[in-house]
Amino acid sequence: MSEYNHKEIEPKWQENWQNQNIYQVKLDPNKPKYYVLDMFPYPSGAGLHVGHPLGYIASDIVSRYKRLKGFNVLHPMGFDSFGLPAEQYAIETGQHPAITTENNIATFKKQLNKIGFSFDWSREVRTSDPNYYKWTQWIFGQLFNAWYNQDSDKAESIDSLIARFEKEGNSNISAACDEDTPSFSSEEWNNFTEEQKAEMLLKYRLTHPSEAVVNWCPALGTVLANDEVKDGFSERGGHPVERKKMKQWMMRITAYADRLISNLDSLEWSESLKEMQRNWIGKSQGCELNFKVVDSDIELTAFTTRADTIFGVTYIVIAPEHELVTQLTTPEQKETIEAYVQTAVNRSERERMSEVKNVSGAFTGSYAINPFSGEKVPIWIADYVLAGYGTGVVMAVPSSDDRDFRFANYFGLPIIRVIEGTEELENPCEIKHGKMINSGFLNGMDSVAAIAAISAKAEEQGIGKVKVNYKIRDAVFSRQRYWGEPVPVYFKEGIPHLLENEELPLELPAVNEYKPTETGEPPLGRATDWKYQGQYPYELTTMPGWAGSSWYFLRYMDANNEEEFVSQEAVKYWNSVDLYIGGTEHATGHLLYSRFWNNFLFDMGLIHHKEPFQKLVNQGMIQGRSNFVYKVKNENKFVSLGLKDQYEVSTLHVDVNIVENDVLDIEAFKKWRPEYTEAEFVLEDDKYLCGYVVEKMSKSKYNVVNPDDMIAKYGADTLRMYEMFLGPLEHDKPWNTHGIDGVAKFLRKLWRLFHDNEGSLVVTENEPAKEALKVLHKTIKKVEEDIENLSFNTSVSAFMVCVNELASMKCNNQKVLKDLLVILSPYAPHISEELWSKLGQSGSVLDANFPAWDETYLKEDAHEYPISINGKMRVKMTFALDMSPKDIEAEVLANETVQKWLQGKTPKKVIVVPKRIVNVVI
RNA sequence: GCCGGGAUGGUGGAAUUGGUAGACACGCAAGACUUAAAAUCUUGUGCCCCUUGGGGCGUGCGGGUUCAAGUCCCGCUCCUGGUACCA
């Protein structure tokens, strides 16, 4: 007897598909295109675990489905192959990271292919491949040679800026540029030396070196971007991060802040993800107000979103790092201030964050004048004011800001209430908006109107201006590491020069070690004879991990083009990604940087879609489900879960691969941990039961489940369907195999339905029964709708119901099977292809047409109505669809059960909703 | 603190968007086949009362709207993701 045997079928078809290059896709203007993309993985040494393929399976189902629907589908895969782990390994072992990476990629590909994905490997990209990073460097060059024109609201070539400088100087130019850019006339510009011109242009270029306070991670020996730092620790490795001023390459992403927010509206992304990006960019509308310092020429500018509360200002606070601190400090306060600045600077970012609720500060001795009330208010310094946001100066209003309130209370500073209703409150900050009081000419005005009034008056009197602030900072683009793209720049007289296009790629040089040099230079400083034209030093930092991943979706369109980063023909045809599936952890990193680069390339006319990812779905994380055994302390004895409370035990993680449904395989355990070969096991119900907990999948918790093992045991089709069956794609869920038998059973049942005991295909060829067609078309409709809605788990259920019903009517009809295989093939391609070929169908099931469901088979001639009495379902009755509501009502009232409930009374109302329900109200 | 998402049987999850709550699957129980096991099949399975027929209660908690609420509105509780002296 021959049963369904995945071990035979799956490798056979995988090989077959590969030999026929069946997944290779070509640009075809006669077909509509569909682009399905997965976030490409970092090829770690650990290989894939069962969590990785979740999103890939979903995207593969959509790809195969769209192909059956007649689309020309682009579904590529590649590797984000620059990164820290390979480099750390290189530091430890001396092995070149390229070798590690190559090996890991081979493992990944082997694992991926076993799952039966329809990737077009001829388009594979690897960010660490010089043929790829050549173009990453080229895009860097495009950014270097561009500036952002705020009047046209787009990036333009740097040449257009130079032309304008020559003609009119810079005073009429509205551009994204450094804060400290001086203004100059055309004459002055034309008289600048070449170096001066070059220096000046750096203030405008979209990527440029700049002295900035950065996140420095001593343990990793590199700077990190804001999104790579979590709570004062590096995201990778969890090492402490310090603030440090260093010269770095920067990307002027702030120029795009507004567009990155407004474009979000047109995207089909989850609201939470859009919100994350909005918060990260952190746009806030407000105004800057100037405060004259008493007995001084100094004017302090404070940014506020609550200009209406100006009459409530009782002091000014500036950041301890603020450049005017020394000048503002009076001789009497000098000692106090210097001591405070010292402690503030010495405190790490982490300490500062953990002491958020601790109030601290010092008085400078100086006073400032409130421009509206004319009041004299003291100037303080405090580390709750951040030098990097706004102007580093805050006008403190203790009556409407919690932090100011806390500070004022602590130091005994006055509090003026300016909102009606706060007079009696102990904490006036509880009411933030309302009618203005104690506020001069604002009295009686609503706070929202008052903001506008103050802003207008400030602008009119030249004591302030309307201003928009962003939280987002320009992105640090330098990494003091080896395993990344070299920045294609050399220095001549200290001025950075870009390499010519013909000179790209600038390949990574060989180095004897992957550590920083003794003088503290990045690893590239170890390269010998690595100079441009033998004399000019190259930039020694490399690009960050997000550089290569910020445009890879474009390269897939034309992956092997040696002339351009992507051809116009390809980019016009494939356009943007229709469906992007990946994890939410990239919300404020990759997904923001990619949008930035894509917007830039759009501005430069190099691509023709504003946004890279039209629809985005975040698949949930598959967590590990760790198992525990309980060892009795000081004894070589283990007790089962239910008995552990009777002993004093220590809890040990046990490899989940030797536990099935929480029952430990004791022999396997003894083999796994030879030191316990002699151990005694106390069982319950003849079994050793393990405890469990859901936590992150990781090697150290012995809860990693490898897809290869699952495939060996159940087959790829079962794994694919089971991962979908587990629940909605977006949900986080622990991996457990409790239900996988159900899916395996389904495939066996399908197989058996169309085979005899000897394993030969047995099908009938006559017209299928109407009942069978009804089941089939119901399933076609459901599966189509489910895939369109990315609701894969309910499709799997639909297939199960379908096969169960066909089995119960013993339908082994060929025509039914044929359509069933087509709709099943996105989920379970191997078994579908096998049966398809057994049926004698020509070609691959991949190239079949997705059958259209036929309404005539789904039409009911009668509907079974639930009959409710006062909203509670009591009985069911069937009525023809063309029956009038009046007739239905009459029959319902005549029904025996309804009569019983009516007890002779006439009902108040009878509601008949066609094809829904009949409700009798008594 | 602020902004998202959520809470449905023993478990994972369904529910035509206001209309039969618990599809499908796991688990469990009973039975069939078998020397036995595996596999397969059949039946039952939200909770409670009840001899049956049947009845009552049920979607985190408390109110409300409605003929009808898991679904809508108001007020809580808990879980989860993001973010945080951003003025």
Side-chain angles (χ1 to χ4, degrees):
Chain A
M1 160 143 174
S2 154
E3 275 271 1
Y4 161 59
N5 182 354
H6 63 84
K7 284 184 182 157
E8 214 169 90
I9 293 168
E10 294 183 346
K12 180 175 85 184
W13 286 110
Q14 282 165 10
E15 198 177 314
N16 193 306
W17 291 326
Q18 200 182 351
N19 291 343
Q20 294 184 48
N21 283 329
I22 202 156
Y23 300 130
Q24 226 175 79
V25 59
K26 293 205 171 66
L27 195 153
D28 180 356
N30 299 317
K31 271 178 152 182
K33 69 94 192 185
Y34 197 85
Y35 188 177
V36 190
L37 182 65
D38 295 291
M39 287 185 188
F40 63 168
Y42 172 78
S44 77
L48 289 175
H49 63 66
V50 288
H52 287 105
L54 182 72
Y56 305 158
I57 294 168
S59 67
D60 197 56
I61 290 168
V62 174
S63 301
R64 289 170 180 274
Y65 164 78
K66 286 287 177 184
R67 181 168 175 168
L68 296 170
K69 278 282 192 179
F71 287 86
N72 196 25
V73 177
L74 179 56
H75 186 219
M77 181 48 83
F79 298 94
D80 191 10
S81 46
F82 274 133
L84 285 181
E87 180 160 352
Q88 292 294 48
Y89 189 72
I91 290 171
E92 287 159 26
T93 63
Q95 186 176 62
H96 195 285
I99 298 169
T100 322
T101 304
E102 181 74 38
N103 292 342
N104 292 351
I105 289 178
T107 310
F108 265 64
K109 280 179 84 165
K110 211 166 107 195
Q111 286 186 296
L112 288 170
N113 284 329
K114 275 193 194 168
I115 307 175
F117 291 131
S118 60
F119 297 129
D120 178 357
W121 284 115
S122 74
R123 292 169 183 266
E124 177 190 342
V125 304
R126 300 177 183 189
T127 54
S128 61
D129 179 349
N131 292 323
Y132 179 85
Y133 70 66
K134 170 183 176 178
W135 297 108
T136 311
Q137 292 173 332
W138 180 82
I139 293 172
F140 173 89
Q142 299 295 304
L143 284 152
F144 185 78
N145 281 330
W147 65 293
Y148 198 87
N149 184 342
Q150 287 171 334
D151 289 326
S152 60
D153 204 16
K154 66 189 195 92
E156 292 176 15
S157 159
I158 198 81
D159 296 334
S160 74
L161 185 68
I162 297 171
R164 286 185 67 181
F165 283 173
E166 285 168 355
K167 232 167 74 194
E168 51 172 318
N170 74 346
S171 47
N172 287 325
I173 295 175
S174 173
C177 61
D178 289 2
E179 291 276 315
D180 61 354
T181 309
S183 64
F184 52 81
S185 66
S186 59
E187 291 82 38
E188 286 173 298
W189 169 263
N190 291 323
N191 289 329
F192 281 167
T193 63
E194 284 309 307
E195 281 80 41
Q196 283 173 314
K197 284 182 181 173
E199 289 276 6
M200 197 58 70
L201 288 173
L202 288 178
K203 296 179 184 296
Y204 288 85
R205 295 182 189 274
L206 287 183
T207 182
H208 61 110
S210 158
E211 187 89 10
V213 177
V214 295
N215 306 302
W216 171 254
C217 179
L220 294 174
T222 186
V223 300
L224 298 170
N226 284 342
D227 66 277
E228 292 168 320
V229 182
K230 293 265 167 339
D231 299 328
F233 291 88
S234 67
E235 196 182 28
R236 280 196 180 257
H239 306 290
V241 174
E242 305 169 353
R243 307 283 292 165
K244 195 175 171 185
K245 204 162 190 175
M246 290 177 79
K247 193 144 195 162
Q248 301 295 325
W249 281 87
M250 305 291 287
M251 282 277 164
R252 236 182 265 283
I253 190 173
T254 48
Y256 282 88
D258 224 17
R259 279 165 64 184
L260 290 174
I261 290 181
S262 59
N263 283 2
L264 281 174
D265 294 337
S266 67
L267 301 179
E268 297 162 65
W269 294 17
S270 72
E271 212 33 61
S272 67
L273 195 74
K274 289 188 190 182
E275 201 57 26
M276 263 189 240
Q277 291 209 339
R278 284 192 201 104
N279 288 340
W280 187 263
I281 297 166
K283 183 178 183 173
S284 63
Q285 230 119 15
C287 72
E288 288 183 349
L289 297 172
N290 302 333
F291 290 75
K292 282 204 166 71
V293 177
V294 175
D295 299 328
S296 158
D297 315 329
I298 301 174
E299 218 175 42
L300 290 174
T301 304
F303 174 77
T304 179
T305 55
R306 291 300 305 274
D308 57 321
T309 61
I310 182 79
F311 288 91
V313 175
T314 56
Y315 63 102
I316 300 285
V317 214
I318 62 179
E321 301 95 326
H322 199 279
E323 51 195 0
L324 293 175
V325 167
T326 331
Q327 286 185 61
L328 289 169
T329 306
T330 58
E332 308 81 72
Q333 294 301 107
K334 194 164 178 258
E335 215 170 298
T336 323
I337 290 289
E338 275 177 359
Y340 184 73
V341 170
Q342 232 357 281
T343 47
V345 167
N346 281 346
R347 264 202 290 175
S348 71
E349 199 66 3
R350 215 162 7 107
E351 287 166 331
R352 205 162 151 163
M353 270 192 274
S354 62
E355 291 171 18
V356 160
K357 292 286 176 268
N358 288 357
V359 179
S360 72
F363 176 46
T364 61
S366 295
Y367 291 84
I369 302 292
N370 183 326
F372 283 88
S373 69
E375 290 288 324
K376 196 172 111 174
V377 294
I379 302 170
W380 286 66
I381 64 171
D383 67 0
Y384 80 86
V385 176
L386 305 175
Y389 181 76
T391 57
V393 178
V394 168
M395 56 172 239
V397 184
S399 63
S400 70
D401 184 284
D402 297 288
R403 295 154 299 173
D404 298 344
F405 180 69
R406 238 186 291 133
F407 193 85
N409 270 337
Y410 188 84
F411 288 107
L413 292 157
I415 296 167
I416 303 172
R417 284 148 216 255
V418 290
I419 307 280
E420 194 176 75
T422 57
E423 303 94 317
E424 304 307 320
L425 294 177
E426 196 178 319
N427 179 358
C429 301
E430 282 166 22
I431 300 176
K432 303 243 192 237
H433 289 274
K435 244 185 207 162
M436 305 307 301
I437 52 168
N438 301 328
S439 293
F441 74 100
L442 296 176
N443 281 340
M445 229 183 257
D446 181 76
S447 44
V448 176
I451 292 176
I454 288 285
S455 310
K457 202 152 182 175
E459 292 214 323
E460 190 186 303
Q461 299 185 355
I463 50 174
K465 60 173 193 229
V466 172
K467 175 89 199 250
V468 176
N469 257 330
Y470 297 92
K471 273 196 260 185
I472 193 171
R473 299 274 86 99
D474 279 333
V476 182
F477 198 67
S478 293
R479 295 294 181 274
Q480 287 70 13
R481 305 288 302 198
Y482 177 78
W483 192 229
E485 301 88 345
V487 175
V489 160
Y490 63 92
F491 291 87
K492 201 163 149 184
E493 317 288 339
I495 301 289
H497 290 264
L498 205 58
L499 264 66
E500 298 294 328
N501 290 343
E502 307 79 73
E503 293 165 334
L504 300 179
L506 173 61
E507 291 201 33
L508 270 173
V511 293
N512 57 350
E513 262 196 289
Y514 301 94
K515 288 192 289 209
T517 65
E518 276 69 35
T519 55
E521 278 184 329
L524 290 188
R526 294 179 176 273
T528 47
D529 301 325
W530 195 56
K531 288 219 161 64
Y532 183 70
Q533 293 178 346
Q535 51 178 324
Y536 302 113
Y538 280 120
E539 168 67 39
L540 295 182
T541 61
T542 52
M543 299 188 194
W546 53 267
S549 61
S550 288
W551 73 283
Y552 76 111
F553 47 92
L554 297 169
R555 188 62 181 171
Y556 282 138
M557 297 174 183
D558 198 8
N560 302 303
N561 191 333
E562 294 185 4
E563 308 301 319
E564 295 166 278
F565 78 118
V566 54
S567 73
Q568 284 299 302
E569 191 195 13
V571 83
K572 276 180 182 148
Y573 178 72
W574 294 112
N575 203 252
S576 63
V577 175
D578 295 284
L579 176 64
Y580 195 23
I581 297 183
T584 181
E585 66 272 20
H586 299 106
T588 52
H590 161 64
L591 286 172
L592 205 53
Y593 297 125
S594 306
R595 294 183 58 218
F596 161 40
W597 279 29
N598 194 96
N599 267 274
F600 166 72
L601 294 169
F602 173 80
D603 285 354
M604 302 308 281
L606 295 164
I607 58 173
H608 312 285
H609 52 279
K610 291 184 179 170
E611 284 289 330
F613 315 120
Q614 190 50 42
K615 185 179 172 110
L616 181 131
V617 176
N618 291 121
Q619 94 269 19
M621 237 199 347
I622 294 210
Q623 297 135 314
R625 191 176 180 285
S626 310
N627 278 111
F628 299 113
V629 290
Y630 303 95
K631 184 178 175 297
V632 179
K633 282 198 175 143
N634 307 320
E635 277 184 75
N636 197 9
K637 184 171 171 183
F638 291 86
V639 292
S640 185
L641 174 69
L643 308 168
K644 74 175 165 72
D645 294 339
Q646 301 165 23
Y647 299 81
E648 198 185 330
V649 295
S650 52
T651 304
L652 304 174
H653 271 95
V654 59
D655 187 347
V656 293
N657 294 297
I658 57 171
V659 177
E660 199 167 344
N661 292 339
D662 293 337
V663 177
L664 179 70
D665 180 336
I666 293 172
E667 289 314 308
F669 179 75
K670 287 178 176 171
K671 234 183 251 168
W672 182 60
R673 279 285 139 97
E675 65 266 38
Y676 297 128
T677 314
E678 304 301 323
E680 181 192 342
F681 290 82
V682 183
L683 311 180
E684 48 183 325
D685 300 333
D686 294 331
K687 286 182 236 166
Y688 188 96
L689 289 179
C690 299
Y692 76 91
V693 71
V694 172
E695 52 192 352
K696 215 182 144 170
M697 228 181 237
S698 90
K699 256 186 185 168
S700 63
K701 292 169 180 136
Y702 303 107
N703 60 2
V704 175
V705 182
N706 184 310
D708 299 5
D709 297 341
M710 286 289 123
I711 289 169
K713 194 161 175 195
Y714 296 100
D717 285 339
T718 303
L719 177 73
R720 290 168 64 108
M721 291 193 89
Y722 184 60
E723 290 220 11
M724 291 300 102
F725 184 67
L726 226 39
L729 182 61
E730 298 90 335
H731 284 193
D732 288 345
K733 49 218 154 191
W735 176 258
N736 72 73
T737 47
H738 283 358
I740 199 166
D741 284 332
V743 174
K745 236 184 259 179
F746 156 75
L747 289 175
R748 281 201 295 268
K749 212 183 262 183
L750 169 71
W751 182 269
R752 224 177 303 118
L753 185 55
F754 297 94
H755 287 84
D756 62 17
N757 286 340
E758 278 68 50
S760 314
L761 188 80
V762 180
V763 290
T764 58
E765 294 180 13
N766 52 341
E767 273 308 304
K770 199 179 168 211
E771 279 310 300
L773 286 171
K774 213 168 149 177
V775 171
L776 174 69
H777 283 260
K778 203 169 71 186
T779 311
I780 296 171
K781 183 177 185 222
K782 176 78 177 143
V783 170
E784 170 164 343
E785 286 170 354
D786 279 350
I787 299 180
E788 295 283 353
N789 298 325
L790 308 180
S791 169
F792 306 103
N793 56 328
T794 47
S795 281
V796 179
S797 297
F799 283 121
M800 290 176 176
V801 172
C802 179
V803 168
N804 280 343
E805 290 189 18
L806 290 178
S808 73
M809 58 181 86
K810 297 210 163 44
C811 168
N812 60 342
N813 184 280
Q814 177 187 258
K815 287 181 178 153
V816 171
L817 176 60
K818 201 184 128 220
D819 282 351
L820 181 57
L821 292 177
V822 178
I823 63 171
L824 180 64
S825 68
Y827 288 83
H830 308 87
I831 191 174
S832 302
E833 189 78 309
E834 172 74 10
L835 290 173
W836 184 261
S837 90
K838 274 188 154 185
L839 271 180
Q841 294 292 329
S842 61
S844 164
V845 69
L846 264 82
D847 291 313
N849 289 319
F850 196 90
W853 47 273
D854 188 336
E855 187 70 53
T856 55
Y857 294 114
L858 300 180
K859 265 198 193 131
E860 309 176 61
D861 25 16
H863 181 75
E864 190 182 45
Y865 284 78
I867 313 298
S868 297
I869 314 263
N870 286 343
K872 190 112 199 144
M873 208 279 283
R874 294 297 167 187
V875 69
K876 287 177 192 170
M877 294 174 75
T878 303
F879 301 110
L881 283 180
D882 55 3
M883 202 163 159
S884 77
K886 268 221 138 49
D887 294 342
I888 291 176
E889 184 179 329
E891 276 202 40
V892 167
L893 293 180
N895 177 279
E896 199 184 318
T897 312
V898 177
Q899 290 262 321
K900 194 184 120 199
W901 279 93
L902 278 171
Q903 295 177 322
K905 286 176 271 184
T906 38
K908 279 196 200 125
K909 220 196 290 189
V910 179
I911 292 125
V912 180
V913 187
K915 288 191 79 175
R916 283 284 155 83
I917 197 163
V918 178
N919 192 9
V920 180
V921 187
I922 305 175

